[in-house]
């Protein structure tokens, strides 16, 4: 069975792909479609082999598979008494602010950035930070101090605060 199927695929692949292209597939879509069709044929190879006209049988599967894949699956809008759209605050400013903060953090050295994140995002105490980082509390304080100074002088963050 396997050799017979392999020989059929080798002989008919180009014709089946060309048929799928002519039906309206792009070349990659056609190859995918033909592969799907041939997988189905392999599972029912005894039935395909027993068909009066193998090529007609396989082309019928090809056309049915093509049409099935092309059927419009409508997932459009449905009428509603209440519109879901809400006129709200323009979120671009939030994205811009987040971007400015991320860029400012990117400009900090790794140890200072870590200290800022642990203190102001994770809300760890200086003692907890010292334990996490494996450094003295004084080192945590100096890293935070330097980082806050750099961030305070960042021009993009100054624009967010409205000062310059």
């Amino acid at each position: 069975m396997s050799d017979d199927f392999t020989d059929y695929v080798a002989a008919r692949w180009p014709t089946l792909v060309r048929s799928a292209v002519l039906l309206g597939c792009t070349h990659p879509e056609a190859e995918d479609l033909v592969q799907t069709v041939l997988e189905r044929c392999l599972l029912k190879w005894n039935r395909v082999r027993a068909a009066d006209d193998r090529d007609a049988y396989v082309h019928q599967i090809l056309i049915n598979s093509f049409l099935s894949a092309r059927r419009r699956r409508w997932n459009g809008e449905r009428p509603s008494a209440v519109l879901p759209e809400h006129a709200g605050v323009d979120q671009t400013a939030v994205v811009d602010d987040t971007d400015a903060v991320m860029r400012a953090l990117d400009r900090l050295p790794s140890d200072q950035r870590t200290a800022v994140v642990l203190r102001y995002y994770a809300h760890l105490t200086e003692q907890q930070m010292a334990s996490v980082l494996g450094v003295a509390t004084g080192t945590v304080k100096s890293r935070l101090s330097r980082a806050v100074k750099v961030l305070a002088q960042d021009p993009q963050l100054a624009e967010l605060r409205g000062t310059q």
Side-chain angles (χ1 to χ4, degrees), residues 129-140 143:
M129 291 171 58
S131 174
V132 167
L133 298 173
V135 297
T137 305
T139 304
V140 168
R143 286 180 185 175

Side-chain angles (χ1 to χ4, degrees), residues 6-117:
T6 302
D7 293 341
Y8 181 81
V9 170
R12 304 306 294 158
W13 176 265
T15 303
L16 292 169
V17 170
R18 182 70 179 148
S19 295
V21 167
L22 293 172
L23 285 171
C25 294
T26 64
H27 192 74
E29 289 172 337
E31 290 181 339
D32 289 345
L33 178 63
V34 171
Q35 184 172 343
T36 300
V37 167
L38 291 173
E39 287 173 357
R40 290 180 185 166
C41 289
L42 178 61
L43 294 174
K44 309 260 187 205
W45 186 244
N46 288 334
R47 193 180 305 173
V48 174
R49 189 176 9 182
D52 291 333
D53 186 347
R54 249 187 238 176
D55 289 335
Y57 192 90
V58 172
H59 272 83
Q60 184 63 48
I61 297 170
L62 177 76
I63 291 168
N64 289 342
S65 298
F66 171 76
L67 293 174
S68 176
R70 294 293 171 138
R71 278 195 192 103
R72 182 172 180 214
R73 289 169 175 72
W74 187 76
N75 291 324
E77 298 177 3
R78 303 209 186 274
S80 174
V82 179
L83 294 177
E85 294 87 15
H86 299 286
V89 178
D90 182 11
Q91 295 298 315
T92 5
V94 174
V95 172
D96 290 343
D97 293 353
T98 301
D99 183 59
V101 170
M102 292 305 294
R103 287 176 188 262
L105 288 173
D106 283 341
R107 288 188 285 274
L108 289 176
S110 177
D111 59 340
Q112 291 178 16
R113 181 180 181 152
T114 303
V116 168
V117 170

